Amino acid sequence: MSAKNRGSKKWISNVIFIIVLGVFFFTPVGTNVKVWLNRLLAMSPNIEKVSDQKKVNYESWQLVNEQGEVFDFDRVKGKVVIINFWATWCPPCIAEKPSFQELYDDYKNKVVFLFITTDEPDKVKAFKEKNKSTLPIYYQKSAAPAVLFSESIPASYVIDKKGNIVVRKFRAADWNSSKFRVSLDELLK
């Protein structure tokens, strides 16, 4: 094989590789693959050691729901709270939403769920309709407490009845795993 043919084949394989990368990173096909991979790799969240737990002060945090109503943080006193910062365009966020939906369906009367996004309401509505989601969505009107700060999404926190963060998860998780449900049931006792 001549050097010219080898060079041609290498060039063609490089172009194909770039096209595959482009499809993966910049099209819905790539998003679907990333969502599938995140679901495949999602693990159950773990309870943190007591020494690592920090208390949340909701005092200056303001949230509004999809109807524009201000969330009353008095509702969380003495309750277990699950907070999830997410976005409609984020593959790990999309990947974990079905497990959150299943958990929410079973625990919505026992746990306070706060799904917080900065996306436009019309995008959130379309996302919820497409995915048949009933998760309660909130928008921030002021900065979250510092202990809930994360530079990445998804960022999820489970807060016990005393206001301590007992779970911090910064990637897609299987929130509906039997292991997490056992932990959640313990927190609810």
Side-chain angles (χ1 to χ4, degrees):
M1 181 181 288
S2 72
K4 185 177 180 180
N5 284 344
R6 279 188 300 236
S8 245
K9 286 185 179 185
K10 185 174 181 169
W11 184 85
I12 290 170
S13 66
N14 285 342
V15 168
I16 290 171
F17 179 71
I18 289 169
I19 290 170
V20 168
L21 282 179
V23 167
F24 184 74
F25 285 111
F26 302 110
T27 70
V29 171
T31 299
N32 292 337
V33 170
K34 288 183 259 183
V35 167
W36 177 79
L37 282 172
N38 274 282
R39 283 188 185 143
L40 184 68
L41 300 173
M43 302 186 73
S44 181
N46 295 315
I47 301 291
E48 293 195 354
K49 293 183 280 184
V50 174
S51 61
D52 293 336
Q53 296 176 6
K54 294 181 181 168
K55 198 157 196 81
V56 178
N57 179 353
Y58 302 105
E59 210 169 278
S60 62
W61 196 20
Q62 283 192 329
L63 299 175
V64 295
N65 66 14
E66 294 169 276
Q67 293 73 40
E69 301 163 338
V70 175
F71 181 79
D72 181 4
F73 277 99
D74 285 341
R75 288 182 46 202
V76 304
K77 289 182 180 165
K79 297 204 175 163
V80 174
V81 181
I82 296 178
I83 298 172
N84 173 251
F85 294 91
W86 71 288
T88 58
W89 50 264
C90 161
C93 302
I94 296 166
E96 69 180 2
K97 282 299 172 270
S99 68
F100 265 132
Q101 182 67 56
E102 291 173 2
L103 188 72
Y104 174 75
D105 289 344
D106 291 344
Y107 286 86
K108 63 185 165 197
N109 296 323
K110 302 173 193 170
V111 174
V112 177
F113 288 87
L114 302 171
F115 294 93
I116 302 162
T117 186
T118 58
D119 283 351
E120 294 296 322
D122 58 328
K123 288 183 180 178
V124 173
K125 183 179 180 189
F127 178 88
K128 286 181 73 173
E129 287 173 0
K130 178 183 175 189
N131 295 286
K132 297 177 178 63
S133 171
T134 60
L135 301 174
I137 306 300
Y138 294 88
Y139 302 92
Q140 294 189 100
K141 291 299 177 187
S142 62
V147 295
L148 299 178
F149 176 76
S150 171
E151 291 184 358
S152 65
I153 54 173
S156 301
Y157 305 88
V158 179
I159 296 134
D160 69 11
K161 292 179 178 184
K162 296 176 185 173
N164 298 309
I165 300 172
V166 295
V167 172
R168 291 174 211 269
K169 189 73 175 170
F170 301 107
R171 63 179 66 93
D174 181 2
W175 293 96
N176 195 43
S177 69
S178 56
K179 178 183 173 194
F180 181 69
R181 281 177 170 256
V182 167
S183 297
L184 189 55
D185 289 338
E186 282 297 313
L187 292 170
L188 288 166
K189 285 184 181 176

